[in-house]
Amino acid sequence: MDPSSRITFYNNACAQKKQIALMEREFGPVIVGEWSLATDNCAMWLNGFNDNLPGFPRSPCKYQACSAPYMGDDQPGTPVDIGKPIQGPYGTGMSGPSFGMCPTDRDWMTERYNRGEGGMSWVSAPPEAPRGRDGTDEVMTLLAHKKISAFSGIGHGFYFWNFRTDLYNPQWSYMLALERGWIPKGDLNDERILNSCHKEDAGEFVCEANRDAPEDTVRSGMTYALGEEEKSAKYIDKLHDDDLYDEADTIFSEFWNAHRGEGATCDFGGAAMLAEENKTHTEDYYTDDYYNVTEVNEFPMWKIIVLGVVGMLVGGFAGFTLAMKLNPRFNRAVRSSTMLRPVTSSKVFRQSFGNLIEPGFHPLDYE
C-alpha cells in the first residue's frame, strides 16, 4: 500500500460501510476477512518468500532480531546468519532477513498542526519515532475502531489476520493488538466504536491534490478521473505548477464525492490525499481523534546553543569574581598579568578587586 495520511486510512475504513451495506442488501450476510491494521508493506515475506510488491516498501522499516526457526536449526539456511545481508532467491520486491534482523513495521508520528504538519510527516520520518513523538497507539486504536464499526456494525462480523505472529508485529497479530489496547476486548458495541466514523459519515473531508507528488503523477491521476467520466483530458498538458494542482483539486474532489459510495478512494496513484475541511471547531471536537495529542514542545537548537554560551559566560564571570574576592593569590596573579593589564589597570577593576591585595604587594610597573 502506498504511504498516505492517517485521514486517508480512516476515511477508507469508514467508506467500507456503504459497500458492506450494499452487499448485505444484494447477497445476504457479509463477514469481512482477512483484515489487519497494517498501514505499510514492511512485514517480512508479506507477498511470499523473500518477496514484496514491486517497489515496496515505499518507506524505511523498523527491524528486530529474527526469531529462532520453529522447525529447528537443521533446516536449510537456519539459523539466520548475522554476518550476511539478505540472501536470494529474490522476488519482485524486497523483504527478508538481513544481518540477523527482520523487518516488521514503522511508527506513526504525532502531528503538530501548529507547525504546518498535515498528516504526512510520518512518511519521511525515521521508521522509529523520536521520543515523545510516537503516535502509533493512537492511530492504530482509532483505525481499529473505524474498521470494526464498518465490519461489525454494518456487516455480520469479521476475522483478523492473524491470531498471532512470529515476530512482534501487532498490526498483524490479533492477540498483540488486544494487548496494546488497539482492539477492545469483548464489547464491540462500545460507544467509541459505534461513533468512530461520525466525521467521515458527515463528509467533513475533501479530496485534494497531493502537493508533494510530481506533476506527471498528478496528471496521470487527473487523466484517469476524467477518463472514467468520459471527459477530455487534453487540456491538462498545458497546466503547470499551482494551476495544475488547483485544477486537480477540483477533478479529484468531484470524482471522489461522486463515487465514494461505490468504494472509490482518494488516492489516484499517490496523486491525491484527503484533508479536513477548513472549519472552526469547539473544544468538544478534539476528543476522539488524532488532534487530541500531547503537544511535544521541542526547544529549538539555536536557543540551546545561545543559552549554553550565555551560561558559560555567566558562570565564568561568577567564578572569576568569587576567585578575585576570596583568593588574594589569584587576585595578585591576575593583576600582575601583562596580557590583562588594560583591564586590571582600569579604575573600575581596582575599585572592585583591589581591596584584597596582600600587604606589601605592588603591581609591576610596565612603563
Side-chain angles (χ1 to χ4, degrees):
M1 61 194 74
D2 287 312
S4 193
S5 68
R6 64 192 70 197
I7 294 177
T8 298
F9 283 108
Y10 294 163
N11 210 293
N12 289 346
C14 293
Q16 299 299 314
K17 295 168 69 173
K18 295 181 180 179
Q19 288 299 298
I20 294 172
L22 177 62
M23 294 176 66
E24 292 246 342
R25 184 169 64 249
E26 297 294 333
F27 303 107
V30 174
I31 298 177
V32 180
E34 304 156 332
W35 66 279
S36 77
L37 290 171
T39 52
D40 53 60
N41 277 51
C42 286
M44 192 170 74
W45 298 350
L46 188 59
N47 289 83
F49 177 74
N50 270 7
D51 202 1
N52 209 325
L53 294 175
F56 282 85
R58 302 284 199 207
S59 301
C61 303
K62 290 195 301 184
Y63 280 75
Q64 60 184 255
C66 298
S67 303
Y70 60 87
M71 294 182 65
D73 292 344
D74 56 341
Q75 300 298 312
T78 59
V80 175
D81 192 335
I82 62 174
K84 292 183 179 180
I86 184 171
Q87 303 292 296
Y90 305 107
T92 56
M94 183 64 68
S95 181
S98 179
F99 299 105
M101 304 296 287
C102 291
T104 52
D105 55 17
R106 56 181 287 108
D107 292 337
W108 278 88
M109 298 274 287
T110 56
E111 301 294 342
R112 299 173 300 180
Y113 289 85
N114 58 333
R115 302 201 183 172
E117 296 176 356
M120 292 292 287
S121 64
W122 78 288
V123 176
S124 56
E128 187 168 353
R131 185 174 64 87
R133 294 294 307 278
D134 189 353
T136 304
D137 284 339
E138 187 172 15
V139 174
M140 292 295 101
T141 300
L142 293 170
L143 184 59
H145 288 174
K146 293 173 189 295
K147 286 194 172 188
I148 294 173
S149 175
F151 302 159
S152 182
I154 303 299
H156 277 68
F158 60 85
Y159 53 97
F160 193 86
W161 178 280
N162 196 337
F163 184 67
R164 65 175 70 248
T165 52
D166 185 39
L167 298 170
Y168 186 83
N169 199 342
Q171 288 87 345
W172 294 93
S173 168
Y174 191 80
M175 297 301 293
L176 292 178
L178 285 175
E179 290 179 10
R180 291 285 290 267
W182 298 351
I183 297 177
K185 297 180 179 179
D187 185 12
L188 298 183
N189 291 318
D190 189 298
E191 187 173 332
R192 293 171 299 172
I193 294 177
L194 298 178
N195 297 325
S196 61
C197 287
H198 69 94
K199 283 189 286 296
E200 289 81 1
D201 293 343
E204 296 184 5
F205 296 93
V206 294
C207 183
E208 62 182 26
N210 181 0
R211 263 56 181 181
D212 293 327
E215 289 192 1
D216 288 343
T217 300
V218 175
R219 284 195 183 90
S220 296
M222 296 168 71
T223 300
Y224 167 78
L226 291 172
E228 289 292 305
E229 298 291 329
E230 298 183 351
K231 299 178 181 178
S232 175
K234 293 181 179 180
Y235 75 98
I236 65 175
D237 292 333
K238 301 178 181 179
L239 301 177
H240 299 279
D241 301 324
D242 289 341
D243 291 338
L244 176 68
Y245 290 99
D246 291 343
E247 180 66 14
D249 286 343
T250 301
I251 293 174
F252 293 152
S253 180
E254 290 179 352
F255 184 89
W256 180 67
N257 282 308
H259 299 282
R260 59 182 299 190
E262 304 165 10
T265 61
C266 178
D267 183 73
F268 299 94
M273 59 183 290
L274 283 172
E276 189 180 20
E277 288 185 339
N278 187 17
K279 295 181 178 179
T280 300
H281 301 292
T282 64
E283 184 177 351
D284 293 338
Y285 178 85
Y286 302 100
T287 59
D288 65 342
D289 63 8
Y290 57 88
Y291 291 97
N292 187 26
V293 300
T294 301
E295 179 67 32
V296 179
N297 294 316
E298 295 179 350
F299 216 56
M301 181 57 67
W302 70 269
K303 288 187 178 180
I304 296 176
I305 295 174
V306 170
L307 288 177
V309 172
V310 171
M312 288 189 293
L313 292 175
V314 172
F317 179 77
F320 176 81
T321 301
L322 288 174
M324 290 294 291
K325 290 288 188 181
L326 302 178
N327 191 329
R329 292 183 181 276
F330 179 78
N331 187 308
R332 183 177 62 180
V334 171
R335 292 167 64 88
S336 300
S337 171
T338 304
M339 183 176 64
L340 297 177
R341 186 184 178 195
V343 177
T344 57
S345 62
S346 68
K347 183 178 180 180
V348 174
F349 185 89
R350 290 179 179 277
Q351 291 177 345
S352 300
F353 304 113
N355 60 327
L356 290 179
I357 299 300
E358 292 181 359
F361 170 73
H362 299 283
L364 296 177
D365 186 1
Y366 299 100
E367 298 181 355

